Amino acid sequence: MFDKDLYNYPIEKVLEALGARKGPGKDMWFSPFRDETRASLHINREKNLWNDFGLGQGGSIVQLVMLTRRCSCREAEAFITALAPCKYERPEPAAPKSEIKTVRDIRSDYLVNYLQKRKIPLELARQYLKEVIVRNPQKGMNFTLLGFPNNMGGYALNAPSGFKSTTKAAVTTINTEGKMSVTPCAKSVAVFEGFFDFLSWQVMQSNKTPSCDVVVLNSVNNFQKATAFIGAHDKIMGFLDNDEAGQKCQTALERLFPGKVTDMSDLYGKYNDLNEMLQDSRGYTAEMKLTPNI
């Protein structure tokens, strides 16, 4: 039997032992499964997990070795054990987790002003977002954040300071009535990285409710959790960021669903994302009145 701490052996050292090369992006590596010119494998160092956007698959360091060396689970464990016998690095004890104290409708001037800066009408924001007060036990302070509900009952959190977090890592799927739903109801689906891009799309369409089904990943790391919902549609529109992570996610979409995907990023080509373009666009204000979809 192998020590369970084997799974805590640093994933970067496993990748190096497998001959993989570090990519230019943060926590990005060139996949050890194939030759490639753009790094497509992302690692989560805290959880010691990996996700290959090109392959559409991820997992533990043992699965990484199994796929790369095409070997059994026991052989993969033996490979990792041989890297540093009996010298596994245990993760540091986790800091006390922040606790949600209050969830309510958006009312704080602090957040209202932030929404105005991002050109998101308050009426639209209140339809999809909540004001979430979180207690940080380490600092002994409360923080007031924007919270976007996800399919696991958690929230993607965002603050004017630039702080981003999540209470549970999950995607958010929304139907054409503007309601969260895990059941597809349209033939088309729009895929966004974050909720500000989704809301910006709503503003630009001048609609309170989406014209098709919607997936908000809340992080490109959640891509695999959305593939079943996305794949249930005939037409897929990718409104992903114009950065390395966003375009790798777009590439993964196109590989998984050939012939069904349209890359919409050309619409905001000189900007990183839809909200950045909205903020720079004339004629759009946070006082806009949106109409229901007909």
Side-chain angles (χ1 to χ4, degrees):
M1 294 290 291
F2 290 90
D3 193 315
K4 65 181 181 179
D5 286 342
L6 174 144
Y7 284 80
N8 294 329
Y9 191 77
I11 191 168
E12 301 102 311
K13 294 184 179 180
V14 175
L15 282 163
E16 289 171 358
L18 292 171
R21 294 179 296 123
K22 181 76 174 67
K26 182 180 179 182
D27 293 332
M28 296 299 300
W29 288 70
F30 291 94
S31 175
F33 311 133
R34 60 189 175 277
D35 292 330
E36 59 181 6
T37 57
R38 296 180 64 185
S40 64
L41 186 137
H42 179 267
I43 63 171
N44 184 322
R45 286 179 290 175
E46 287 185 20
K47 297 181 179 179
N48 223 36
L49 299 175
W50 58 276
N51 182 33
D52 189 316
F53 292 117
L55 188 64
Q57 189 172 341
S60 69
I61 57 173
V62 171
Q63 292 166 311
L64 179 67
V65 174
M66 288 172 65
L67 281 170
T68 306
R69 295 175 61 87
R70 298 181 182 178
C71 63
S72 68
C73 179
R74 183 164 290 277
E75 288 170 330
E77 290 175 333
F79 175 85
I80 298 169
T81 300
L83 297 179
C86 304
K87 290 179 68 177
Y88 308 120
E89 298 183 11
R90 295 178 180 272
E92 295 181 4
K97 291 186 177 180
S98 297
E99 177 186 359
I100 291 180
K101 304 296 290 185
T102 304
V103 176
R104 63 192 185 193
D105 290 338
I106 299 169
R107 64 179 74 168
S108 299
D109 291 342
Y110 166 72
L111 297 181
V112 171
N113 292 336
Y114 180 43
L115 289 165
Q116 289 177 340
K117 178 182 176 182
R118 304 288 292 253
K119 292 192 176 180
I120 303 299
L122 185 57
E123 178 186 16
L124 179 67
R126 283 176 172 161
Q127 181 178 341
Y128 294 101
L129 306 178
K130 292 293 184 181
E131 182 172 308
V132 180
I133 299 176
V134 175
R135 177 72 177 176
N136 185 313
Q138 287 182 294
K139 297 184 177 180
M141 298 173 63
N142 291 340
F143 294 90
T144 303
L145 312 167
L146 288 174
F148 181 61
N150 63 37
N151 288 5
M152 292 294 290
Y155 290 89
L157 302 171
N158 191 298
S161 65
F163 171 83
K164 293 181 180 180
S165 184
T166 182
T167 57
K168 291 181 183 178
V171 303
T172 304
T173 51
I174 298 171
N175 63 21
T176 54
E177 296 179 353
K179 306 294 184 183
M180 288 178 59
S181 173
V182 296
T183 304
C185 73
K187 292 184 178 181
S188 301
V189 62
V191 183
F192 301 92
E193 282 191 42
F195 65 79
F196 270 119
D197 294 325
F198 162 56
L199 295 177
S200 299
W201 177 66
Q202 293 286 83
V203 172
M204 291 174 178
Q205 289 196 321
S206 192
N207 286 331
K208 288 183 180 178
T209 53
S211 55
C212 62
D213 285 337
V214 167
V215 174
V216 182
L217 298 176
N218 295 315
S219 168
V220 292
N221 293 332
N222 294 328
F223 174 71
Q224 290 184 66
K225 299 173 183 177
T227 54
F229 185 88
I230 294 171
H233 296 82
D234 296 334
K235 183 179 179 181
I236 302 164
M237 296 171 287
F239 291 88
L240 298 160
D241 289 2
N242 277 322
D243 57 18
E244 186 174 16
Q247 290 310 295
K248 287 187 184 303
C249 193
Q250 176 66 37
T251 299
L253 264 181
E254 293 169 0
R255 287 176 178 171
L256 277 177
F257 309 109
K260 297 172 66 173
V261 180
T262 302
D263 184 352
M264 307 298 290
S265 62
D266 284 347
L267 295 175
Y268 44 98
K270 72 174 184 177
Y271 301 97
N272 184 64
D273 56 39
L274 269 176
N275 185 252
E276 189 175 293
M277 182 175 76
L278 177 67
Q279 291 183 65
D280 196 40
S281 300
R282 296 181 179 180
Y284 293 100
T285 71
E287 286 71 47
M288 284 184 66
K289 297 298 181 183
L290 308 185
T291 58
N293 240 352
I294 299 176

